[in-house]
Amino acid sequence: CAKGLLVFYTSNIKVVRAVQNGVLAGLLAVGLMSFGVQAEAATTKHRTKHVQHAQAKHGKTSARKARAEVAETGSASFGQAYGLHRTADPLALKSSVALVLDQDTNEVLFAKNSQAVLPIASLTKLMTALVIVEARQPLDDVLTVTEDDVDTEKNSSSRLAVGTKLTREEMLHLALMASENRAAHALGRYYPGGLSAFVQAMNKKAQELGMTSTRYVEPTGLSSNNQSSAPDLAMLVKTAYNYPLLREFSTSQEYQV
């Protein structure tokens, strides 16, 4: 086969991109790594009970309330709360949402609930990285991790202690390769105008790309309010793929700082 397939997924969304000439280093490696970790962390023994409770309480017509309850408890995926995982497909995928595209023609080869808008977790970092490289800030500037970068959303751990000093390039590398939340947050915080200006730039870029179902509220993906659809993510990947630095950093097998 002249083409290879590159896959990333969560319990909510699965996207498969065809990559020319069997290129293994696609930008979606960051999604493959971080989504698996975060989706697993969000799963608890109470998941089934909670989903049933949310559906019984809110009904099928009140998706917003169900979404709010799932976000508050963190005990079930959003796709499950919506019942999307029950959609039958010939591949018997566990993912609630899937999309397969031909990279050359954009032809949809396979789709499952592809228009659903769901939290995208650490795939957020792909937009974070895209905004950073397009801003052309000096990659050798030294950034410092502060208390502001500590996760208070999900209390996730980090290998970057408060006070750690790394270059912007190193922070970008860690954000993409290791889904390092403090690195991604620091990148946004050091953007001209600060974090709020950075989030605005993320949303502006999404609009420019035609990602009409996408909304960002922070640069790490820890917030469930960072949401998108599979077609929107395909647009993002197609754009980010044009930057060799992002392809390299998102597929590094190891990196020492």
Side-chain angles (χ1 to χ4, degrees):
C1 179
K3 295 183 180 180
L5 290 179
L6 191 62
V7 183
F8 71 83
Y9 66 94
T10 69
S11 57
N12 287 335
I13 298 175
K14 181 170 185 174
V15 178
V16 182
R17 290 288 292 178
V19 182
Q20 286 187 347
N21 302 320
V23 176
L24 182 61
L27 291 172
L28 303 183
V30 60
L32 177 62
M33 174 172 51
S34 61
F35 264 20
V37 173
Q38 294 199 19
E40 184 67 23
T43 303
T44 74
K45 63 182 180 180
H46 301 296
R47 168 183 285 182
T48 302
K49 180 178 180 181
H50 174 75
V51 173
Q52 292 173 343
H53 173 73
Q55 290 177 334
K57 181 178 180 180
H58 300 302
K60 295 181 179 179
T61 60
S62 187
R64 181 176 298 177
K65 290 182 179 180
R67 181 169 64 232
E69 182 168 334
V70 172
E72 181 178 352
T73 64
S75 60
S77 75
F78 287 79
Q80 288 175 324
Y82 292 145
L84 298 178
H85 63 294
R86 298 191 184 95
T87 302
D89 69 80
L91 301 181
L93 298 177
K94 292 183 179 180
S95 299
S96 298
V97 176
L99 180 64
V100 182
L101 298 175
D102 183 292
Q103 183 168 311
D104 293 333
T105 65
N106 288 325
E107 178 187 359
V108 176
L109 305 178
F110 177 84
K112 175 183 177 181
N113 297 322
S114 60
Q115 297 302 322
V117 178
L118 298 168
I120 57 173
S122 281
L123 275 182
T124 295
K125 294 182 178 70
L126 192 55
M127 178 62 83
T128 297
L130 181 61
V131 171
I132 290 296
V133 296
E134 291 193 345
R136 298 184 179 181
Q137 293 177 271
L139 293 178
D140 57 356
D141 280 356
V142 176
L143 315 185
T144 302
V145 175
T146 71
E147 290 287 351
D148 291 335
D149 302 315
V150 175
D151 169 29
T152 58
E153 181 87 18
K154 296 182 178 177
N155 298 313
S156 60
S157 60
S158 173
R159 292 185 176 89
L160 300 184
V162 172
T164 299
K165 297 180 181 296
L166 296 172
T167 66
R168 179 173 284 107
E169 182 174 355
E170 290 170 330
M171 292 285 194
L172 183 61
H173 201 153
L174 291 176
L176 287 177
M177 185 191 79
S179 191
E180 176 52 63
N181 292 316
R182 293 184 185 179
H185 195 274
L187 288 169
R189 189 166 49 79
Y190 275 89
Y191 187 80
L195 191 61
S196 61
F198 186 76
V199 174
Q200 289 178 6
M202 294 174 71
N203 286 303
K204 180 179 179 181
K205 187 62 182 179
Q207 292 176 359
E208 291 175 355
L209 295 178
M211 299 170 64
T212 57
S213 298
T214 300
R215 175 175 177 259
Y216 298 102
V217 299
E218 50 84 31
T220 68
L222 287 167
S223 173
S224 295
N225 289 320
N226 284 2
Q227 301 192 1
S228 188
S229 65
D232 278 12
L233 292 176
M235 296 178 196
L236 174 60
V237 171
K238 185 175 182 179
T239 302
Y241 187 79
N242 294 322
Y243 292 87
L245 187 67
L246 300 187
R247 294 202 303 271
E248 175 188 349
F249 285 2
S250 64
T251 58
S252 299
Q253 295 185 359
E254 61 180 4
Y255 182 59
Q256 293 184 352
V257 294

